[in-house]
Amino acid sequence: MLDFDQNDKKEAPIGVFDSGVGGLTVMREIMRQIPNEKLIYFGDTARVPYGGKSKETVTRYSRQIVHFLQENHVKAIVVACNTASAYALETLEKEIQIPIIGVVKPGAKVAAETTKNGKIGVIGTEGTVLSNIYPTYIRDIKQQVQVLQKACPLFVPLVEEGLLEDPVTDEIAKRYLAELIDLDIDTLILGCTHYPLIRDTIGRIMGSQVNLVNPAYETARELKELLEREALLNSRHPELGSNQYQFFVSDGAEKFKNFANSIIKYGILSAKIVSAEDYEGTSKR
Ligand code: DGL
């Protein structure tokens, strides 16, 4: 039998954060795969994009958001942003006591385990590519692999403009992906939160022989396993009207809400504005 404390912990929310709207693709997977959990999402819409920023800046921003989430008594944190996972996760893991996971390791693991010809492609932001984190994790699992990375910075604004199925997106995708096609990869990691939203376009250009890995899906699966291991999985569904899903952003709440409602089929009633900067240097739970 669990004591009351453990029950309280199980019913505490999970914090999920990203540089903006992209992490909603991860949020969506968590909602699907572990529907009993309460979730608090923070999108740093005032400071997006993280993709071209330095490791120091991304780490500072991420730390502030983690503090905000801890102030909201989360039991675990998911770094839904690939760039923040690449640059900040290692530091954050050392600074906090609750479980925290990113999106990079789960995606890298599946790619390493499923490639047949040992040729893996990774697409992501400049920061994620520069950090070299995907190749490092992939080679930790399987040494004899070729990993070709390609930064695709224009995909983020295209997705945010809603050009999910559009000739412009097609054209840019063809240019970005040409090198990966030439290398004859059999696995491609969608190493940025926005890319699963143009999965069809990417899949069409790469061809059906290429397996597309969506780290969002793998992360939700690993999160569930982690919560089970730590005896933190919530077995009871939260009551209706319990604010099961809460959304916070650092700017543009209305725009966020509209985008969120277009990708998560759950009426997002509101997003509250929070200034992440106010959480500099607080909280050490
Ligand atoms: N969320 C970011 C990522 O997954 C993409 C957007 C940005 O550059 O902030 O890397």
Side-chain angles (χ1 to χ4, degrees), residues 239-251:
E239 281 165 28
L240 270 179
S242 68
N243 269 338
Q244 187 182 1
Y245 303 128
Q246 295 185 65
F247 296 87
F248 296 88
V249 289
S250 44
D251 199 8

Side-chain angles (χ1 to χ4, degrees), residues 54-72:
S54 68
K55 178 172 178 156
E56 290 66 34
T57 300
V58 172
T59 303
R60 186 160 60 82
Y61 290 174
S62 302
R63 183 182 287 124
Q64 293 167 349
I65 299 167
V66 162
H67 290 168
F68 163 73
L69 294 170
Q70 288 192 287
E71 294 290 307
N72 281 277

Side-chain angles (χ1 to χ4, degrees), residues 17-23 25-26 41 44 47-53 58 80-86 103 124-128 134 153 156-157 160 190-195:
F17 80 89
D18 177 49
S19 55
V21 294
T25 57
V26 181
Y41 182 92
D44 199 1
R47 304 186 291 195
V48 69
Y50 284 8
K53 295 196 169 75
V58 172
C81 176
N82 285 260
T83 312
S85 299
V103 284
T125 65
E126 279 175 272
T128 300
Y134 272 108
V156 168
E160 293 199 3
L190 308 179
C192 171
T193 47
H194 290 59
Y195 303 174

Side-chain angles (χ1 to χ4, degrees), residues 13 18 26 29-30 32 45 77 128 158 173 190 207 217 237 279:
D18 177 49
V26 181
E29 283 303 332
I30 299 172
R32 270 189 205 142
T45 44
I77 293 177
T128 300
L158 287 168
L190 308 179
Y217 179 84
H237 196 274
Y279 291 85

Side-chain angles (χ1 to χ4, degrees), residues 38-282:
K38 289 186 190 160
L39 304 172
I40 296 182
Y41 182 92
F42 184 93
D44 199 1
T45 44
R47 304 186 291 195
V48 69
Y50 284 8
K53 295 196 169 75
S54 68
K55 178 172 178 156
E56 290 66 34
T57 300
V58 172
T59 303
R60 186 160 60 82
Y61 290 174
S62 302
R63 183 182 287 124
Q64 293 167 349
I65 299 167
V66 162
H67 290 168
F68 163 73
L69 294 170
Q70 288 192 287
E71 294 290 307
N72 281 277
H73 307 288
V74 295
K75 64 181 175 187
I77 293 177
V78 179
V79 185
C81 176
N82 285 260
T83 312
S85 299
Y87 276 158
L89 180 61
E90 228 188 11
T91 306
L92 296 171
E93 272 170 346
K94 294 185 196 130
E95 294 180 351
I96 64 171
Q97 266 81 55
I98 56 172
I100 179 165
I101 63 166
V103 284
V104 172
K105 236 183 212 169
K109 184 164 174 271
V110 170
E113 286 169 356
T114 52
T115 181
K116 295 210 169 61
N117 72 1
K119 292 178 183 177
I120 299 172
V122 178
I123 52 176
T125 65
E126 279 175 272
T128 300
V129 166
L130 275 175
S131 76
N132 225 25
I133 192 152
Y134 272 108
T136 305
Y137 282 148
I138 291 169
R139 292 207 182 94
D140 279 351
I141 300 165
K142 199 181 235 175
Q143 272 156 19
Q144 301 308 321
V145 282
Q146 249 180 296
V147 185
L148 182 68
Q149 303 190 87
K150 179 80 187 165
C152 305
L154 289 174
F155 281 168
V156 168
L158 287 168
V159 168
E160 293 199 3
E161 282 302 314
L163 301 172
L164 304 185
E165 283 290 343
D166 192 276
V168 176
T169 308
D170 260 48
E171 184 52 39
I172 290 167
K174 277 183 196 147
R175 289 204 203 179
Y176 279 149
L177 301 174
E179 286 170 52
L180 298 159
I181 295 173
D182 288 348
L183 188 74
D184 192 29
I185 59 165
D186 72 353
T187 305
L188 178 62
I189 301 178
L190 308 179
C192 171
T193 47
H194 290 59
Y195 303 174
L197 298 171
I198 48 168
R199 188 190 177 108
D200 290 350
T201 303
I202 295 170
R204 191 168 3 90
I205 293 167
M206 294 307 299
S208 57
Q209 75 289 359
V210 177
N211 177 31
L212 302 183
V213 174
N214 176 4
Y217 179 84
E218 307 306 334
T219 302
R221 225 168 41 95
E222 271 205 18
L223 173 66
K224 186 175 180 193
E225 284 170 17
L226 171 76
L227 295 174
E228 272 166 351
R229 253 195 335 267
E230 302 277 332
L232 285 172
L233 195 68
N234 194 8
S235 42
R236 279 205 314 212
H237 196 274
E239 281 165 28
L240 270 179
S242 68
N243 269 338
Q244 187 182 1
Y245 303 128
Q246 295 185 65
F247 296 87
F248 296 88
V249 289
S250 44
D251 199 8
E254 199 54 29
K255 195 169 168 207
F256 173 88
K257 196 183 90 178
N258 293 338
F259 191 90
N261 279 320
S262 74
I263 64 166
I264 295 184
K265 302 295 168 223
Y266 154 90
I268 292 159
L269 303 177
S270 70
K272 294 190 194 105
I273 301 260
V274 164
S275 164
E277 276 134 26
D278 295 346
Y279 291 85
E280 185 90 61
T282 56

